Amino acid sequence: MRWRVAGRLVAGAVVLGLLAFGFRELVSARGFQLFGDLTERVETSEKVVALTFDDGPHPASTAEVLDVLREKRVPGTFFLIGRDLAAHPELGRRIAGEGHEIGNHTYSHERMVFVTPGFVAGEIERTDSLIRATGFRGEITVRPPHGKKFLALPHYLAEHHRRTITWDVEPNSSAAVDADPARIVEHVVRHVRPGSIVLLHPHYPSGRNSRDSLGPMIDRLRDQGYRFTTVSGLG
Ligand SMILES: [Zn+2]
C-alpha cells in the first residue's frame, strides 16, 4: 500500500527525470537517484581516498588483494556479492578479520532496473545476513550492481536509511586503461582528488590487471601525500 502511494507521488518526478536526463542516464548516473542519500565522493580538503573493490569474494583473487592491503597497511572497502559470499564464507571472514569494511553489492548482481520491492528486499537482506556472519560490525553501505538503480532499489534504501555509495574514479571502465596495470595506476593518480572513491574490479581471473596495479597505485598515491580510509571513514 505504502509503495503504491509512493509510486504515485514520484510519477511526476520520474517523468521530469526522463525528460531531463534521458532514461539511460537516469538509471546509470553516478551522482543522482530519485530517492535517498547517494555518495560518489566526499567533500573535503584533506588528502584522503577510499579504495573500493567490487564483486567476489573469489578464491582466484581475493587473497591476493588482501595480501597487498596487509603488506601496505591500507584499509579497503569490499562491495561483496551475496551469492559469492555464501560460496566462500572463509574469504568474507578474512576480509572482516583484517579490519576492512564490507558493503552490500546485492545477492545476485542482477541489474536493479524494473524489479519489484520484494525482490529488492530479498537481495539486500540476504546479503546483509551473510555480511554480518563474517563478523563485520560497521555500517553496511550499498552499491548497486552495474551502478544501475531505478525506483524500487533507491526507494527501499531510503526507507531503511541506507547509504548508496558510487565512485568518482573508475579506471576499469576504459578498455584502453584497463588493458595495462601501469595505465590503471596513471589514470587513478591523475583523477584522484581529496575525498575520492576509487572503484576497482580486482576479482576473478579478469581482474588480473587491477590486482597488479594495486601495490604501485598505493605507493604513488602515498608519495602524493594521500592516506587511505574506508568509505565510512571518509565521513
Ligand atoms: Zn559488480
Side-chain angles (χ1 to χ4, degrees):
M1 197 54 182
R2 259 179 108 182
W3 171 251
R4 230 182 284 153
V5 173
R8 234 179 287 139
L9 282 175
V10 298
V14 172
V15 171
L16 285 175
L18 291 175
L19 289 174
F21 296 90
F23 181 71
R24 250 190 82 222
E25 287 72 15
L26 180 64
V27 295
S28 304
R30 275 185 336 217
F32 176 80
Q33 66 184 2
L34 288 170
F35 313 90
D37 181 24
L38 184 149
T39 302
E40 59 175 339
R41 177 183 158 254
V42 169
E43 204 49 61
T44 177
S45 55
E46 231 191 300
K47 287 187 118 180
V48 62
V49 58
L51 300 180
T52 68
F53 307 102
D54 273 21
D55 309 333
H58 192 270
S61 49
T62 305
E64 192 181 333
V65 174
L66 287 168
D67 289 347
V68 174
L69 295 178
R70 183 162 61 185
E71 184 202 321
K72 306 279 183 193
R73 296 175 185 280
V74 166
T77 302
F78 290 77
F79 286 95
L80 300 182
I81 298 172
R83 193 175 45 201
D84 287 0
L85 185 51
H88 308 290
E90 72 291 349
L91 291 173
R93 285 194 296 274
R94 183 176 165 194
I95 293 170
E98 295 187 3
H100 302 293
E101 184 165 312
I102 301 180
N104 187 323
H105 199 37
T106 74
Y107 188 84
S108 66
H109 206 260
E110 299 278 324
R111 282 167 201 272
M112 294 288 140
V113 184
F114 298 129
V115 289
T116 65
F119 179 81
V120 164
E123 287 282 313
I124 298 297
E125 289 164 17
R126 286 166 82 188
T127 307
D128 280 346
S129 303
L130 289 159
I131 291 172
R132 287 301 179 214
T134 67
F136 177 69
R137 291 285 164 261
E139 177 191 1
I140 302 176
T141 63
V142 178
R143 175 172 282 168
H146 315 285
K148 304 255 189 275
K149 64 261 172 248
F150 191 63
L151 290 181
L153 178 63
H155 185 263
Y156 173 92
L157 298 175
E159 287 264 288
H160 292 81
H161 310 288
R162 301 289 293 269
R163 288 202 292 156
T164 305
I165 305 296
T166 54
W167 56 84
D168 68 321
V169 182
E170 47 179 335
N172 304 134
S173 298
S174 155
V177 172
D178 193 46
D180 176 2
R183 276 186 230 150
I184 295 175
V185 173
E186 283 310 317
H187 180 96
V188 170
V189 168
R190 195 165 350 113
H191 290 89
V192 154
R193 297 185 288 157
S196 275
I197 298 173
V198 179
L199 165 62
L200 294 167
H201 287 94
H203 294 293
Y204 318 117
S206 60
R208 175 82 265 156
N209 289 342
S210 287
R211 294 198 291 283
D212 288 346
S213 77
L214 186 56
M217 181 189 302
I218 289 168
D219 293 343
R220 289 278 305 277
L221 289 170
R222 268 202 176 123
D223 286 347
Q224 298 205 345
Y226 278 95
R227 69 177 178 83
F228 299 89
T229 187
T230 61
V231 159
S232 294
L234 281 177

